[in-house]
Amino acid sequence: MYSMLKRVIFFILLAGLWELLFWLGIWPEYVLPSPVSVGKTLVRGFQDQSLLIGVAISMKRIAIGYGISLGVGVFVGLLIGRFRIFEDTLGSLISGLQTLPTICWLPLSLLWFGLNDNAIIFLVFMGAVLSIATGTDSGVKNVPPLYIRAAKTMGAKKWKLYLEVIIPAAFPHIVIGMKQGWSFAWRSLMAGELLIVCLGLGHLLMLGRELNDMSQVIAVMLVIILIGILVDRLFFMKIERHIRERWGLVKS
C-alpha cells in the first residue's frame, strides 16, 4: 500500500511539473499541450474506439512476433551455450547482427513480405530474438558445471537434463534477455507501423504528427507507456519475484 502511494505521488508530481511548464509558456501549445488537452484526447480516442483498435492491432502483431522470437531465441541460445560449433558460427553471427539497428531490416522485410502485417511481425521478431538468444546463451554458460555433472550422475540425460537442470539454472539470465527483447520488440513495432501505412498505435502517432496534433502524439505515447508498465507488473515482475524466492533472495 505504501509503495502504491509513493508511485501515485510521483506521477502526480510529474503531471504537476508538466502543467507548470505549460503555464510558463516556454513552448507554444502546439508543441507542448497541457495535460488536460491530452486527457481529453485520450477520452475521445477511447470513446470513438480508435485507441482501442490501435492497441488491439499492435498487441496482436507484437504477441505473434515476440512469441516466435521467444521460442527461436531460447533454442538458438541453448545451442550456442552448449555446443562449441554453434558458438563459433551462430554466436559470431548474432554478435555482429546485434550492432545492426532493426530498422535496417525494413527494406528486406518489404521485399520479402510486402506491405502487410507479416513485414511488421518480421521486424518485431528481429528486434527481440537476438536479445533473447544472447540472454539464454549467457545463462547457459553460467550454469555451474557441478550441477550438470551431478544431474548426469543421477541419470538425467538429453531433454531431461535441459528441462530440469540447465534451463531452470539459466532462467534468471533468460528473463533478462526476455525483458530486453520485449522493449526492443516495441521499438521495432513502432518503427514498422510508422513507416508502413497500416492501422495500429504507430499509425496513430504518424497521424498526430501529420496533423500537427501533439495531444494525440503524447496520448498514444502514454498508452504505450501504460502497456509497458502493465506487462512489467503483471508478467515480468512476477517471474522475477518467483526466481528470487526460489533462490532465497526475498526477505521474509
Side-chain angles (χ1 to χ4, degrees):
M1 183 65 181
Y2 180 65
S3 164
M4 178 64 71
L5 180 61
K6 287 191 295 185
R7 282 194 289 269
V8 170
I9 293 174
F10 173 72
F11 286 115
I12 289 175
L13 289 174
L14 280 182
L17 177 61
W18 178 4
E19 183 69 24
L20 176 62
L21 290 173
F22 172 75
W23 282 108
L24 288 175
I26 300 174
W27 297 281
E29 187 173 356
Y30 66 84
V31 174
L32 181 67
S34 69
V36 175
S37 175
V38 174
K40 290 179 179 178
T41 302
L42 278 171
V43 171
R44 185 170 64 251
F46 284 112
Q47 285 178 341
D48 63 18
Q49 298 188 347
S50 60
L51 278 175
L52 292 176
I53 294 172
V55 169
I57 293 174
S58 292
M59 289 302 295
K60 175 187 174 183
R61 290 171 180 150
I62 200 169
I64 296 173
Y66 184 75
I68 297 172
S69 68
L70 187 60
V72 174
V74 171
F75 180 71
V76 170
L78 287 172
L79 291 178
I80 297 172
R82 289 290 293 164
F83 301 102
R84 185 60 181 270
I85 185 172
F86 291 108
E87 181 181 1
D88 294 338
T89 54
L90 274 177
S92 300
L93 177 62
I94 287 176
S95 297
L97 289 176
Q98 280 190 311
T99 63
L100 189 68
T102 309
I103 197 65
C104 293
W105 291 98
L106 181 63
L108 284 176
S109 181
L110 293 176
L111 286 173
W112 290 344
F113 302 102
L115 291 169
N116 52 45
D117 277 8
N118 292 333
I120 299 176
I121 290 171
F122 176 74
L123 288 179
V124 173
F125 169 79
M126 292 306 303
V129 68
L130 301 178
S131 295
I132 297 172
T134 302
T136 304
D137 171 39
S138 176
V140 171
K141 283 186 171 67
N142 282 283
V143 174
L146 179 62
Y147 291 0
I148 298 175
R149 289 198 298 268
K152 288 181 177 179
T153 301
M154 298 175 68
K157 296 180 180 179
K158 297 182 180 179
W159 290 110
K160 194 172 183 181
L161 180 66
Y162 284 91
L163 293 176
E164 297 186 6
V165 179
I166 296 175
I167 292 179
F171 201 58
H173 291 270
I174 296 175
V175 171
I176 293 173
M178 289 168 59
K179 288 187 71 173
Q180 290 179 340
W182 175 255
S183 62
F184 290 145
W186 267 102
R187 296 171 192 177
S188 304
L189 175 69
M190 290 299 104
E193 290 185 347
L194 280 167
L195 297 174
I196 300 175
V197 180
C198 58
L199 294 177
L201 291 174
H203 178 66
L204 294 177
L205 277 173
M206 184 181 67
L207 281 179
R209 177 185 63 82
E210 291 179 346
L211 297 173
N212 203 23
D213 185 358
M214 282 303 296
S215 292
Q216 176 164 318
V217 172
I218 295 177
V220 176
M221 290 170 63
L222 290 176
V223 170
I224 295 171
I225 292 171
L226 179 60
I227 292 173
I229 293 174
L230 288 175
V231 171
D232 183 63
R233 296 286 172 182
L234 299 177
F235 182 67
F236 289 114
M237 282 192 66
K238 289 187 176 181
I239 293 178
E240 290 174 336
R241 181 171 180 82
H242 174 72
I243 291 172
R244 290 195 297 269
E245 288 176 348
R246 184 165 183 174
W247 289 87
L249 299 176
V250 178
K251 294 180 180 179
S252 57

